[in-house]
Amino acid sequence: MPQLVLASTSPRRRELLAQLGVNFEVLAVAVDEQPLPGELATDHVCRLALAKARAAAAQLGPQVCVLGADTVVVLDGQILGKPVDRDDAAAMLRRLSGHTHTVLSAVARVQGGAHVVRLSESEVTFRTLSPAEIAAYCDTGEPLDKAGAYAIQGRAAAFIRHLEGSYSGVMGLPLFETADLLAGAGVLVRD
């Protein structure tokens, strides 16, 4: 079985990958996450997942199976990344309040010079949030390192009226797609 490395510092991604019962190591990589001019959100998230996996693979060699992942929130065609500060987080939450948005989560596998990318797309509907709820949530600090300024697995779970798609994808690592990639590399055995 090939060695598996997750190119991510996200504790959520580590927790999710561990659910698949595979042994893996973590390697932090630095990738510029700014969208390219005119880049579609689907292309952006897939490009970043692959860039992260390739950056780690370049350090490790071709015998290692590397996973990279990226997640973005999209509302009205605009990518909502991680907020820069509390005010930015509050502004994002005001925009999401009472609306349905898309969460795109891509996972890429790089091994032996070859790569495969899978994309998960989910629709999330927020109930209407009061200004006090937004302020209280921002005060927790939870939104500051999350795409779209919320954590579905955290306190923001109470904001979500409806989810269509992948819960793990909204968290940051779509497990169905990840398991498929790992099975294709011989890392995860399916009976």
Side-chain angles (χ1 to χ4, degrees), residues 119-138:
L119 178 67
S120 168
E121 185 171 333
S122 302
E123 299 293 320
V124 180
T125 303
F126 268 34
R127 64 176 172 78
T128 301
L129 306 177
S130 71
E133 285 177 303
I134 291 171
Y137 183 57
C138 289

Side-chain angles (χ1 to χ4, degrees), residues 6 10-22 24 71 105 152-153 166-175 178 182:
L6 176 63
S10 166
R12 294 162 300 283
R13 288 194 179 113
R14 288 194 303 265
E15 173 188 324
L16 287 165
L17 187 55
Q19 287 182 25
L20 294 179
V22 295
F24 64 95
T71 302
S105 193
I152 192 171
Q153 74 281 8
S166 170
Y167 179 85
S168 62
V170 176
M171 268 184 77
L173 186 69
L175 291 183
T178 301
L182 293 178

Side-chain angles (χ1 to χ4, degrees), residues 8-135:
S8 176
T9 57
S10 166
R12 294 162 300 283
R13 288 194 179 113
R14 288 194 303 265
E15 173 188 324
L16 287 165
L17 187 55
Q19 287 182 25
L20 294 179
V22 295
N23 294 321
F24 64 95
E25 296 176 25
V26 173
L27 179 63
V29 294
V31 172
D32 181 1
E33 298 192 9
Q34 290 300 313
L36 300 174
E39 185 175 42
L40 297 175
T42 52
D43 295 337
H44 171 73
V45 73
C46 289
R47 178 178 61 83
L48 290 182
L50 183 56
K52 292 172 185 180
R54 282 182 169 158
Q59 298 178 45
L60 299 169
Q63 73 285 0
V64 179
C65 179
V66 179
L67 290 180
D70 195 66
T71 302
V72 295
V73 169
V74 182
L75 179 65
D76 299 328
Q78 183 182 3
I79 295 172
L80 302 181
K82 296 175 184 175
V84 296
D85 57 24
R86 186 188 185 287
D87 290 341
D88 191 30
M92 286 185 193
L93 292 165
R94 283 192 297 274
R95 289 188 63 198
L96 295 173
S97 175
H99 294 96
T100 298
H101 61 274
T102 302
V103 178
L104 301 172
S105 193
V107 59
R109 181 190 78 215
V110 172
Q111 184 179 25
H115 71 271
V116 183
V117 180
R118 296 280 186 269
L119 178 67
S120 168
E121 185 171 333
S122 302
E123 299 293 320
V124 180
T125 303
F126 268 34
R127 64 176 172 78
T128 301
L129 306 177
S130 71
E133 285 177 303
I134 291 171

